[in-house]
């Protein structure tokens, strides 16, 4: 579904001749351009663009290549519009628009209301992934923000048990690896709304400080699939994502297993 949406966006952008990564849904690569440079101009993480286009690491691009630029947008509701019509207009499944905006089953909206239109990206092609050690999942970053605080568990087991990433409010938080949602908390005393994913063979990952959770217990998720939206720790204004990895219930430094 996500791939079909990406192709539809590409066709629309090409029909209008759009190729400026600052505003376009599709960018035609010029000679000498890199994915990192295009991502910087588009203000969309390079990994998100790579996932939307099925690029293989190390993400080389070539002149003339057409890249879908998925970006989160804001739509101001006009009189007479419906949630379903708005979702169709932007090429995004209504279910994702509803989750991002907390809409009810009747999709009740009002003129002047601002709706978040989430970016739709394709799950990465598993054939492009670098093999991980036997039994170890292939972990990717759950968010592309800068690292605020790294792993720092002491010998006594206390300290910082994961990585904190800076985020903008309601940024998409992605599953670091494929697995099954095994835990959901809305009131964790330290991390607020939190999702835990079981990757099998003793490996688990957790994502805290979420503003919204977009998965349910038992859901099977793929690497790069959205599991929530970034929120703020209690008592602060800045959004962030707290990310942890555990093996057999023991904390693991995410930096030691994340794909480069």
């Amino acid at each position: 579904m996500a791939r079909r949406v990406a192709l539809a966006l590409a066709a629309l952008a090409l029909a209008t001749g759009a190729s400026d990564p600052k505003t376009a849904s599709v960018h035609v690569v010029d000679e000498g351009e890199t994915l990192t440079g295009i991502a910087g101009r588009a203000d969309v993480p390079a990994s998100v663009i790579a996932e939307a286009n099925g690029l293989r690491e190390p993400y080389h691009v070539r002149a003339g290549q057409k890249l879908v630029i998925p970006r989160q947008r804001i739509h101001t509701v006009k009189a007479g519009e419906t949630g379903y019509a708005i979702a169709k207009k932007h090429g995004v499944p209504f279910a994702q628009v509803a989750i991002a905006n907390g809409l009810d089953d009747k999709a009740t909206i009002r003129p002047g209301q601002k709706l978040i239109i989430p970016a739709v990206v394709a799950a990465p092609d598993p054939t492009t992934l670098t093999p991980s050690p036997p039994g170890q999942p292939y972990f990717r970053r759950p968010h592309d923000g800068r690292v605020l605080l790294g792993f720092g568990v002491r010998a006594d087991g206390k300290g910082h048990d994961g990585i904190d990433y800076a985020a903008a409010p309601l940024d998409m938080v992605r599953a670091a690896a494929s697995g099954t949602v095994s835990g959901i908390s809305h009131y964790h005393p330290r991390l607020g709304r939190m999702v835990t994913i079981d990757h099998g063979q003793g490996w688990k990952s957790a994502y805290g400080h979420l503003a919204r959770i977009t998965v349910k217990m038992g859901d099977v998720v793929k690497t790069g699939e959205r599991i929530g939206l970034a929120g703020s720790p209690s008592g602060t204004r800045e959004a962030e994502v707290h990310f942890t990895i555990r093996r057999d219930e023991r904390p693991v430094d995410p930096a030691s297993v994340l794909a480069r």
Side-chain angles (χ1 to χ4, degrees):
M1 175 64 184
R3 181 68 67 195
R4 290 198 297 272
V5 171
L7 292 175
L9 288 173
L12 176 62
L14 290 174
T16 60
S19 189
D20 181 354
K22 292 181 180 179
T23 57
S25 296
V26 166
H27 175 68
V28 180
V29 180
D30 288 331
E31 192 70 42
E33 284 190 309
T34 65
L35 181 63
T36 301
I38 294 168
R41 290 163 56 203
D43 196 24
V44 175
S47 62
V48 172
I49 297 176
E51 289 167 5
N53 292 275
L55 299 183
R56 296 169 179 252
E57 293 180 297
Y59 304 146
H60 292 308
V61 295
R62 65 184 183 280
Q65 184 175 359
K66 302 176 183 66
L67 296 178
V68 175
I69 310 293
R71 64 181 83 246
Q72 182 170 287
R73 292 150 288 170
I74 299 295
H75 179 93
T76 302
V77 179
K78 299 180 179 64
E81 285 188 313
T82 66
Y84 293 98
I86 292 169
K88 183 177 181 180
K89 175 182 178 180
H90 289 281
V92 177
F94 172 72
Q96 295 195 20
V97 175
I99 289 172
N101 294 276
L103 300 181
D104 58 29
D105 293 338
K106 297 180 181 179
T108 304
I109 57 176
R110 63 184 184 280
Q113 181 178 357
K114 294 186 183 300
L115 295 180
I116 297 169
I117 309 298
V120 176
V121 299
D125 181 351
T127 63
T128 68
L129 305 181
T130 302
S132 301
Q136 178 181 314
Y138 184 92
F139 287 107
R140 291 173 177 262
R141 287 173 55 128
H143 191 274
D144 295 282
R146 62 187 176 87
V147 174
L148 296 173
L149 183 62
F151 183 85
V153 172
R154 302 188 299 268
D156 61 4
K158 298 180 180 180
H160 196 245
D161 64 348
I163 294 178
D164 291 345
Y165 295 100
L170 302 183
D171 270 358
M172 178 172 68
V173 180
R174 307 184 296 269
S178 298
T180 302
V181 177
S182 60
I184 288 180
S185 172
H186 292 276
Y187 306 102
H188 189 281
R190 185 168 59 89
L191 300 175
R193 292 185 180 88
M194 182 175 72
V195 170
T196 301
I197 299 176
D198 189 333
H199 307 287
Q201 300 191 52
W203 289 91
K204 293 183 179 180
S205 60
Y207 314 76
H209 301 319
L210 301 177
R212 294 173 187 161
I213 294 173
T214 59
V215 291
K216 302 184 298 295
M217 282 289 291
D219 280 356
V220 176
V221 296
K222 296 181 180 180
T223 306
E225 188 173 335
R226 186 181 67 187
I227 55 90
L229 305 178
S232 304
S234 177
T236 69
R237 295 182 179 179
E238 300 298 326
E240 65 179 58
V241 178
H242 180 74
F243 174 57
T244 64
I245 294 177
R246 290 181 176 270
R247 187 178 189 186
D248 299 327
E249 301 304 326
R250 295 183 178 181
V252 174
D253 182 358
S256 69
V257 294
L258 284 173
R260 300 297 180 184

